[in-house]
Each structure stands twice: as C-alpha cells, then as structure tokens.
Amino acid sequence: MVSSSPSGQTPARVRLPGISPRAYEHPVDRGALATLRLVPGFAEVLKAVSGFVHERGEQLLALSSALRVGPTQYPELDALRRECAHILDLDEVPDVFVARGAEPNAMAIGMRTPFVVLTTGLVELLDTDGLRFVLGHEFGHVLSGHAVYRTMLLRLLDLRPSMSWNPMSALGLRAVLAALTEWFRKAELSCDRAGLLCGQDSAAALRTQVLMAGGIDPRRVDIEAFLRQADEYESVDSIRDSIVKLRNIETVDHPLAVVRAAQVQRWAASEEYRAILAGDYPRRDGESPHRGWAEDVGAAARSYKESLSASADPLMSVFAEVGKTVSGAADTVWSTVRRRGGS
C-alpha cells in the first residue's frame, strides 16, 4: 500500500519541458557507454540480441504475470506515473507493472517501447515521495535510452549458461557482459539524478537510499552516520582494502548504496542542479548534434580525475600517479615524434 510522505506536504514541483537527458547524465555514464560501444563484438552482439528479443513477448510476459498500473489498479501509482512523465516531459507515459517479489527492485526494460516493472517489496517499502523518486529514476532510464542496453544485459545473463560450452563464445560474452555491467553501474548514478529532478526533494531521495540499503524506518536511522559510512568507505587506508573494494563491485550491476546516496546528495547541493530547476538546462529540440564518443570519454576522464584528486583511497592515489607518469611519457614520445617529423 502506498503511504503518504512523512511531511504530509505536497510542494509544487517545477516542470522541465523538453529537458535533454544530457542535463542529468553523469559524465562517467556517458564515458562508459561510449567505451562500451567500442568493445570488440559489441555491435554484433547487440544486433543478435535485438533479433531474438521479441518486444511483444516482453510486454505479454508482464501482462500475464503482473498488475498493470492504471486508474483502477494502484491508482496512487498511476497518478505518480503520469506526474513523473509530465515533469520530465516524456513524449509517452510508459506503462508500469507491479510484479510479486519480496526484494525491493525496479527496472525499465524494452527495446522499442520501454516499460517499468516494480516489485511488491518495493511498493510496500516506500512512501509516496520514495516511489516518486524511483519512478523518476526509471523514467530517466527511458529518456536516456538505457532500457535497450538493460534488456540486452538481462537477456545475455540468461544466455550465459547455454553458451559456456564454447570457450570462444564464453570469453567474448564475458567481455561484453563485463562492459555492460560497468556501464550500468554508472547509468544508475545518472538516473538517481533524474529521480531527484522528478521529486525535487533531496531528503526523500536520501530516505529512499537508506531504506534500499537496509533501513526499516528512516526515523530510526541516523542519516549523518549513514553518510559518514560513505566517507569511511571512500577513505580506506590500505591498498589491500582498495583491492577488496574493486573485487566487491566486479559482479554487481548497481553502485553500492552508500556511494549512491553520497553522489546524489552532492549533486543536490550543486549549482548545476539549482540551474536546472531554474530553467537553465539543455533541451532536446535545441541540442546541437553530438560530436561522438571522444567527447564523452573526455568528460568521463575529467570526472574521474576530480574524483581521484579528492579521494583519500591509497589505490586511487596510485592510479593517479600512474596516470600522471603515463601521460608524461606519452607527451614526451609525442614531442619527440613531432620534432623528428619536422626535421
């Protein structure tokens, strides 16, 4: 049952007509997606998956095994669905289904006509403001075109056991899956921002992250202590711990809960977020053509550099020093080549 927000207030929310997904997409998301498209065999795998994933079959599965949200089924969710589509100015309001599942989860899937599936565990866990944040998050996936790659990831995971007999196929599939999983972790950071833009309530976003991390009642959780966990996690003081952190995220397709919470709260406090709510953001109809993958990889590199500079993680410091050394060596080689070419 959808409950009301703790505050009981319904503040007016700013509509964002024509907003481009580039307004909220995290630089590392765009960079990871650009890199993903360069993975050998990715285009061929995407084409193959598109061929055997039947759009109507995905929808029929939801129709036959879940409840479609509408005026007479989960009417509160239907109102939130339309509200979120209105705020983010989606051309069409995506269908939303509620499926039986104890784990709180949500996903946007579909190749041409994406739709959203929420589990009953999620609907029972969150209040109205939390569900608004989650629907905004999933609609962010729809607006960014992420649902295509998410569907691809899910179907490839289904295919993996049947292809393990062929070493070459298994290795190629593993490479594509690793790249897809790495990208999807970054895409989640983007769509947390979309959820924040939809709800325009950073406290509700944080409560949702707390509940998804294991909280039962946000009123019984020390929010400051929760955010300090993110600081503690990001500032481990040994290389061994840093390597363990890398191993922990290797096989998961979502960022870690405390990291997500800290990221979205930082963005909520940024000038970029305030400018969007004030109407200063890129629009879909006025956008210049995208210049390609190099621009996105460059933006991701700048974002990583800023993160490395601010991080107290010793392994991140090693990466930063290695990066400076490699960059310096590359500059030296390039300068030598140019001199020889000139002479």
Side-chain angles (χ1 to χ4, degrees):
M1 181 68 180
V2 181
S3 61
S4 61
S5 63
S7 64
Q9 299 175 346
T10 55
R13 294 175 183 85
V14 176
R15 185 169 181 260
L16 305 169
I19 187 170
S20 165
R22 296 186 72 81
Y24 60 79
E25 285 171 346
H26 198 292
V28 297
D29 166 18
R30 294 198 296 268
L33 184 56
T35 305
L36 168 64
R37 289 167 176 156
L38 298 177
V39 172
F42 175 76
E44 290 76 9
V45 172
L46 177 59
K47 183 177 180 180
V49 171
S50 300
F52 73 75
V53 172
H54 301 291
E55 181 82 4
R56 186 58 178 162
E58 299 281 329
Q59 294 171 337
L60 287 174
L61 180 61
L63 280 170
S64 64
S65 58
L67 291 178
R68 181 164 58 190
V69 170
T72 59
Q73 296 190 136
Y74 288 104
E76 303 95 335
L77 277 176
D78 187 51
L80 288 176
R81 174 180 77 102
R82 296 182 183 279
E83 179 188 348
C84 288
H86 178 71
I87 290 172
L88 296 178
D89 197 21
L90 297 183
D91 294 332
E92 296 182 6
V93 183
D95 279 341
V96 174
F97 293 86
V98 177
R100 176 64 60 187
E103 285 295 317
N105 195 17
M107 59 181 170
I109 56 174
M111 303 294 280
R112 295 180 183 83
T113 310
F115 58 93
V116 173
V117 178
L118 310 176
T119 63
T120 51
L122 182 80
V123 175
E124 292 169 354
L125 178 67
L126 300 181
D127 61 21
T128 301
D129 291 335
L131 288 167
R132 183 182 289 107
F133 173 76
V134 168
L135 283 175
H137 174 107
E138 297 304 327
F139 285 4
H141 282 307
V142 172
L143 187 57
S144 289
H146 292 165
V148 171
Y149 298 110
R150 173 63 166 165
T151 304
M152 178 180 175
L153 175 60
L154 291 172
R155 296 303 159 250
L156 285 177
L157 288 171
D158 290 341
L159 276 177
R160 185 166 53 179
S162 64
M163 298 184 70
S164 59
W165 63 272
N166 184 331
M168 294 305 295
S169 296
L171 285 173
L173 184 61
R174 183 175 180 180
V176 172
L177 277 172
L180 268 170
T181 304
E182 168 63 13
W183 160 74
F184 196 73
R185 283 196 296 269
K186 304 299 186 284
E188 289 292 276
L189 298 178
S190 289
C191 294
D192 281 346
R193 294 178 173 189
L196 178 61
L197 287 174
C198 191
Q200 299 169 23
D201 184 345
S202 60
L206 183 54
R207 286 197 306 273
T208 303
Q209 300 285 13
V210 166
L211 288 168
M212 295 296 286
I216 298 174
D217 182 350
R219 293 170 298 184
R220 298 169 62 186
V221 173
D222 185 340
I223 299 296
E224 293 300 323
F226 177 72
L227 290 175
R228 283 198 298 273
Q229 288 180 225
D231 293 335
E232 182 179 344
Y233 176 81
E234 292 174 349
S235 60
V236 295
D237 57 4
S238 74
I239 296 289
R240 182 178 63 185
D241 284 350
S242 299
I243 293 172
V244 170
K245 284 165 59 176
L246 289 176
R247 292 180 60 188
N248 284 344
I249 65 170
E250 184 181 11
T251 58
V252 299
D253 61 3
H254 282 65
L256 302 176
V258 295
V259 175
R260 289 180 69 175
Q263 285 272 344
V264 76
Q265 291 303 306
R266 288 182 195 132
W267 196 66
S270 71
E271 182 59 37
E272 183 180 16
Y273 172 67
R274 289 191 293 271
I276 291 173
L277 294 186
D280 182 12
Y281 55 82
R283 286 165 167 76
R284 301 193 290 273
D285 58 0
E287 240 177 357
S288 59
H290 187 38
R291 287 178 287 177
W293 67 270
E295 179 186 8
D296 287 337
V297 172
R302 289 190 294 274
S303 179
Y304 277 123
K305 183 178 180 180
E306 291 170 2
S307 297
L308 287 172
S309 300
S311 177
D313 188 315
L315 188 58
M316 296 302 103
S317 299
V318 171
F319 287 161
E321 290 303 317
V322 170
K324 290 176 185 176
T325 303
V326 171
S327 177
D331 287 343
T332 301
V333 171
W334 178 241
S335 298
T336 302
V337 169
R338 290 183 64 184
R339 285 198 303 271
R340 289 179 178 177
S343 60

